[in-house]
Amino acid sequence: GENVEQHPSTLSVQEGDSAVIKCTYSDSASNYFPWYKQELGKRPQLIIDIRSNVGEKKDQRIAVTLNKTAKHFSLHITETQPEDSAVYFCAAGTGTASKLTFGTGTRLQVTL
Amino acid sequence: SAVISQKPSRDICQRGTSLTIQCQVDSQVTMMFWYRQQPGQSLTLIATANQGSEATYESGFVIDKFPISRPNLTFSTLTVSNMSPEDSSIYLCSVRGQRNTIYFGEGSWLTVV
């Protein structure tokens, strides 16, 4: 089955700096790669996703890149703000089955 | 995105008992899933809830422990049977929405004592 690795497990940045979280996957059949943000005590919220026919996608301060050859994808957050502090999960899946395999999560802390 | 409601939102349960979690969606969806998130951990898929037939369980999860029902396209239940402290987790209902994106319900926080 699919295996998703995520790094780093914790990340501390100063407000205004950029944050990068990286994930690798093992199943070449995976073609859908969402990112979720989970604040303490709340459900995971989808923040951005990318499909295998696209190499990069951007939404305001958030961007995701995908390298299918190397089987890795990354989340980039620019101009970080304290409200970006949360746990971020990457995931991989196939579009039709919709089953997602999640990474282990990255706890991002944005300090003033 | 669909509105996904779960009940209960939080519960404290005695070991050896069973608890049924309900998931209600405000629109018909083809795919519904149940995930578990143990304290401080990532999300793990328990099973796919199939409408009108038995759920499809992932490796490590069995029907006797986690029976699932899905009587229609907007509702599903997950039962956690014969609970032990190791079952203390967040149980999350999820659905496949537009563009094949996956959305999560609010979660049911279970503590087994």
Side-chain angles (χ1 to χ4, degrees), chain B residues 16-29:
Chain B
T17 63
S18 299
L19 182 77
T20 296
I21 303 166
Q22 298 180 1
C23 178
Q24 179 73 54
V25 190
D26 70 342
S27 59
Q28 292 187 341
V29 293

Side-chain angles (χ1 to χ4, degrees), chain A residues 34-37 45-49 59 62 75 77 88-89:
Chain A
W35 287 86
Y36 291 86
K37 174 184 180 182
Q45 295 270 25
L46 178 71
I47 56 171
I48 195 168
D49 58 9
D59 183 4
I62 295 173
L75 177 71
I77 306 174
Y88 291 81
F89 291 99

Side-chain angles (χ1 to χ4, degrees), chain B residues 32-50:
Chain B
M32 292 181 76
F33 309 88
W34 287 97
Y35 283 82
R36 181 176 74 180
Q37 186 176 27
Q38 294 177 299
Q41 303 296 313
S42 185
L43 290 83
T44 302
L45 179 63
I46 297 172
T48 302
N50 300 309

Side-chain angles (χ1 to χ4, degrees), chain A residues 36 38 51 96 98 103, chain B residues 37 42 96 99 102 104 106:
Chain A
Y36 291 86
Q38 187 175 30
R51 298 176 194 277
T96 51
S98 300
Chain B
Q37 186 176 27
S42 185
R96 187 176 73 181
R99 294 180 55 249
I102 302 297
F104 288 92
E106 303 135 325

Side-chain angles (χ1 to χ4, degrees), chain B residues 6-96:
Chain B
Q6 284 186 234
K7 290 181 183 179
S9 58
R10 199 174 293 272
D11 208 341
I12 299 174
C13 306
Q14 296 293 320
R15 70 175 67 201
T17 63
S18 299
L19 182 77
T20 296
I21 303 166
Q22 298 180 1
C23 178
Q24 179 73 54
V25 190
D26 70 342
S27 59
Q28 292 187 341
V29 293
T30 52
M31 305 290 286
M32 292 181 76
F33 309 88
W34 287 97
Y35 283 82
R36 181 176 74 180
Q37 186 176 27
Q38 294 177 299
Q41 303 296 313
S42 185
L43 290 83
T44 302
L45 179 63
I46 297 172
T48 302
N50 300 309
Q51 193 260 329
S53 64
E54 192 172 287
T56 304
Y57 289 85
E58 297 300 307
S59 176
F61 296 96
V62 295
I63 188 171
D64 289 347
K65 177 67 176 177
F66 298 102
I68 288 170
S69 78
R70 188 168 175 204
N72 56 52
L73 293 177
T74 63
F75 186 78
S76 178
T77 66
L78 168 74
T79 299
V80 186
S81 304
N82 188 25
M83 287 185 284
S84 66
E86 293 71 36
D87 294 320
S88 296
S89 295
I90 307 169
Y91 292 87
L92 293 148
C93 172
S94 72
V95 305
R96 187 176 73 181

